[in-house]
């Protein structure tokens, strides 16, 4: 399979938008598991902020490995939805 960048706008938009949702969902899951308070003055909250940045870089860079923009949106969008479902489940379980 040959990779090309014909649909780069669709791929990049999937990486930026769905990747941001994926990174924020992962940050929420890590925050629940670490029992952070959410105060930006704590060390754990600062670590989570930096974690989201580094997690966001991965889908933005990897979005060009998909063969089309539609596949990028399907893959990254479905992973974003799964991460947020896991976050909601953990949030209700850990009350």
């Amino acid at each position: 399979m040959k990779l090309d960048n014909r649909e780069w706008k669709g791929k990049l938009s999937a990486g930026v938008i769905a990747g941001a949702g994926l990174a924020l969902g992962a940050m929420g899951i890590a925050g629940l598991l670490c029992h952070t308070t959410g105060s930006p003055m704590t060390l754990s909250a600062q670590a989570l902020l930096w974690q989201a940045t580094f997690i966001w870089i991965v889908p933005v860079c990897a979005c060009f490995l998909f063969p089309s923009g539609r596949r990028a949106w399907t893959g990254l969008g479905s992973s974003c939805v799964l991460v947020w479902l896991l976050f909601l489940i953990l949030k209700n379980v850990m009350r």
Side-chain angles (χ1 to χ4, degrees), residues 47-92:
L48 287 175
L49 288 172
W50 284 99
Q51 172 197 0
T53 305
F54 290 119
I55 291 175
W56 191 21
I57 290 171
V58 174
V60 169
C61 293
C63 69
F64 295 104
L65 297 176
F66 288 96
S68 68
R70 180 175 293 191
R71 286 233 178 128
W73 270 105
T74 303
L76 293 174
S78 61
S79 62
C80 178
V81 168
L82 289 174
V83 164
W84 278 98
L85 284 174
L86 179 63
F87 170 74
L88 292 174
I89 290 169
L90 284 174
K91 183 178 174 184
N92 289 330

